[in-house]
Amino acid sequence: MKKKTYLSFSLLIILAFFGGYLLNNIKDSTSVKTVTETTKYTTGVNIEDFGAKSIESSPGFDSRKAIQAAIDSGAKEIYIPFGKTYEISIDGQTYEGKGTGIGLKLHDNLRIYGGGTIKAKNNTGGSFALLANTNDTIKNLIIEGITIDGNSSHAKSKTHRSNLVLFGAENCHYLKVTSVNSPYVGLMMRGNGGQKNTIKDSTVENSGYIGIQAQKHDGIIISENKVYRSKDNAYDIEGNDLKGGALNKGTGEKVIIINNIADGSKTGIFIESTGRVIVTGNHIFNTTSGGFYMNRMNSGSFYNVVSNNEFINEESPGKYIGGMIANSSGKSMIHHNIFKGFLVGIETRSKATNLVIDHNYFSEISQYLIYPKADDYSLVKSEIGINYYEDSQVNRFPRTIPKNSSKYPNRIFNVSVTPAKSLETNKKLQETQ
């Protein structure tokens, strides 16, 4: 009897406890708002709570002000609902040094995430961005999982608006972002002060200019991304220093471009006026200018490593260039890459210098594996080491490298050349002109 009384009493205590808990947590509309207000600084908000309406439920609705209200609410996280599309306009203002027209203004200490789409409304122009910060610095921003649609096919003519831009980013990250139909650049981080940033596992399609761009970075990792059909460069790294100078390596460094894919762009990986870039493990297909390109504006492109990549031209075999080093750039290693289906494997121009080109695998090259342009001092102070060609020569082509001639006696200057080896014949390529 005592045992039954004890169990009954215990059961009543338990029921009373949970009954009180449930009673205290019954939420009317007021209490829901209160909970949201007290937790938004650590959890986040849904943009629909601020009045955003998807095109699926309200075609033609402009959600720009509602989403901006969510961003400005103080919430640390902004949720874009999965599978829905929200159209936004731009404000039409001009921001000095940045351009005209912005959709959503971003700020420090913010995460925008989800599986939904932010899309530019039809007939939207501008030369700035659909999402961007408007000042010169931004810290601790994450954009994750969302799709950004620049709606380029229905934009105003001559629109140069990018999809996502950060100026002076520090500890900022694009993760699993999808950028489509940007009139200009898909995903961009630029401006002075960029450091500790990543662009990872994102997809960029149909950019009117560049797919992914990083400018003046002191530390950025661009990894596991996919860029399709950019009209210019798929991946663009730039750090030009206007002061110039023969040995000036530009303002960016500590850049890693690893395990990315590009298909159908003008150039796969463009390294301009910056140095200390590591390019490795990338698959670059069907470029119409070069698989990779090192170039100088005012400052040079030095101390780069291009290794263990594939540069493949399947759509137009026998045309274009696998890699290019131009305009007094160099001081770099190019090794253990595959170049297949090009007119020439690697071309050098205008005092490309201090290059080590070694242990690369060439296939289906029409003319030369390494081709200094027909001019004096197109390649200087460099080493052409052991390289391999898959097939036999046809009519003595391809050849390893053109020789100096009476017309261009210093086409290559102080360059050591080891003839490439045909894997088909197990012999050196014949190099007679």
Side-chain angles (χ1 to χ4, degrees):
M1 188 71 179
K2 289 182 178 180
K3 185 175 182 181
K4 287 184 178 179
T5 303
Y6 176 78
L7 290 174
S8 299
F9 182 73
S10 299
L11 182 61
L12 287 172
I13 292 175
I14 292 170
L15 289 174
F17 173 81
F18 280 102
Y21 175 84
L22 292 171
L23 184 63
N24 288 333
N25 284 274
I26 292 174
K27 303 179 179 69
D28 58 15
S29 58
T30 304
S31 63
V32 169
K33 184 175 181 181
T34 302
V35 169
T36 301
E37 289 295 319
T38 57
T39 61
K40 70 182 180 181
Y41 293 99
T42 56
T43 57
V45 297
N46 187 321
I47 59 172
E48 292 191 349
D49 292 341
F50 287 79
K53 297 178 181 180
S54 69
I55 62 173
E56 290 82 6
S57 64
S58 301
F61 185 80
D62 184 355
S63 291
R64 178 170 67 88
K65 291 183 179 179
I67 300 174
Q68 190 65 57
I71 291 172
D72 294 340
S73 69
K76 297 293 186 182
E77 297 184 342
I78 310 299
Y79 176 64
I80 312 297
F82 183 85
K84 296 183 179 182
T85 298
Y86 302 86
E87 289 188 334
I88 63 172
S89 58
I90 64 171
D91 64 11
Q93 299 178 33
T94 296
Y95 299 88
E96 185 177 355
K98 297 177 175 63
T100 298
I102 191 171
L104 301 175
K105 300 177 183 179
L106 307 175
H107 59 69
D108 294 351
N109 306 313
L110 184 67
R111 177 181 179 231
I112 299 178
Y113 74 105
T117 298
I118 297 173
K119 181 179 181 180
K121 291 183 69 65
N122 287 351
N123 204 34
T124 299
S127 61
F128 190 6
L130 205 58
L131 287 80
N133 61 312
T134 58
N135 53 3
D136 292 330
T137 60
I138 187 167
K139 297 181 179 180
N140 308 319
L141 173 76
I142 297 173
I143 309 290
E144 183 175 2
I146 69 171
T147 295
I148 306 169
D149 187 346
N151 198 12
S152 56
S153 61
H154 294 94
K156 289 183 178 180
S157 61
K158 299 181 180 180
T159 294
H160 288 166
R161 169 177 29 84
S162 299
N163 274 0
L164 175 57
V165 180
L166 296 183
F167 281 83
E170 180 179 344
N171 194 33
C172 293
H173 311 282
Y174 301 159
L175 306 174
K176 297 184 178 180
V177 177
T178 298
S179 167
V180 296
N181 308 319
S182 170
Y184 201 55
V185 178
L187 304 177
M188 181 194 302
M189 293 189 186
R190 65 175 304 163
N192 295 323
Q195 58 180 314
K196 304 175 184 176
N197 302 313
T198 58
I199 301 174
K200 182 177 181 180
D201 200 13
S202 296
T203 301
V204 179
E205 298 187 49
N206 300 324
S207 293
Y209 183 42
I210 290 168
I212 293 176
Q213 185 179 55
Q215 181 200 50
K216 297 185 178 181
H217 270 77
D218 182 6
I220 185 169
I221 298 175
I222 300 172
S223 66
E224 301 175 50
N225 303 288
K226 297 168 285 293
V227 176
Y228 303 108
R229 298 177 300 280
S230 288
K231 288 189 177 179
D232 202 75
N233 307 323
Y235 302 91
D236 183 282
I237 311 300
E238 186 260 300
N240 189 44
D241 185 348
L242 292 173
K243 292 184 293 186
L247 300 179
N248 188 333
K249 65 175 180 56
T251 59
E253 57 182 28
K254 302 172 191 166
V255 177
I256 298 175
I257 306 172
I258 183 170
N259 297 347
N260 301 283
I261 293 172
D263 198 344
S265 302
K266 183 179 179 181
T267 302
I269 300 171
F270 198 95
I271 307 169
E272 185 164 62
S273 297
T274 192
R276 298 200 171 103
V277 179
I278 294 176
V279 178
T280 189
N282 301 285
H283 300 269
I284 310 299
F285 293 88
N286 303 315
T287 52
T288 57
S289 178
F292 74 89
Y293 204 127
M294 297 182 203
N295 189 51
R296 164 190 291 268
M297 288 190 286
N298 300 96
S299 52
S301 183
F302 297 137
Y303 305 112
N304 303 308
V305 177
V306 180
S307 68
N308 300 94
N309 305 283
E310 279 193 322
F311 301 101
I312 309 293
N313 180 12
E314 297 173 322
E315 294 183 351
S316 302
K319 294 183 178 180
Y320 312 125
I321 298 163
M324 172 75 75
I325 304 95
N327 301 321
S328 299
S329 290
K331 301 182 187 294
S332 298
M333 299 280 294
I334 302 167
H335 63 89
H336 292 89
N337 303 285
I338 292 176
F339 298 90
K340 181 179 180 181
F342 295 97
L343 180 68
V344 299
I346 300 170
E347 182 170 331
T348 63
R349 299 179 182 177
S350 303
K351 296 182 181 178
T353 182
N354 292 91
L355 293 171
V356 177
I357 303 174
D358 186 64
H359 278 83
N360 297 287
Y361 187 104
F362 296 88
S363 176
E364 300 177 26
I365 304 298
S366 300
Q367 291 188 356
Y368 293 93
L369 307 189
I370 295 95
Y371 181 77
K373 186 180 177 182
D375 202 354
D376 277 337
Y377 305 108
S378 289
L379 177 62
V380 302
K381 299 180 181 178
S382 295
E383 175 82 13
I384 309 301
I386 300 173
N387 292 284
Y388 303 93
Y389 185 64
E390 179 177 309
D391 305 308
S392 300
Q393 289 174 288
V394 178
N395 297 323
R396 295 187 176 179
F397 280 96
R399 297 171 183 165
T400 304
I401 189 170
K403 295 182 178 180
N404 289 335
S405 64
S406 58
K407 188 174 182 180
Y408 305 111
N410 295 303
R411 185 174 186 168
I412 59 175
F413 178 78
N414 195 15
V415 177
S416 174
V417 177
T418 300
K421 191 174 188 179
S422 166
L423 297 177
E424 185 70 24
T425 65
N426 203 26
K427 295 180 180 179
K428 293 179 180 180
L429 299 184
Q430 296 183 36
E431 306 292 351
T432 54
Q433 301 288 63

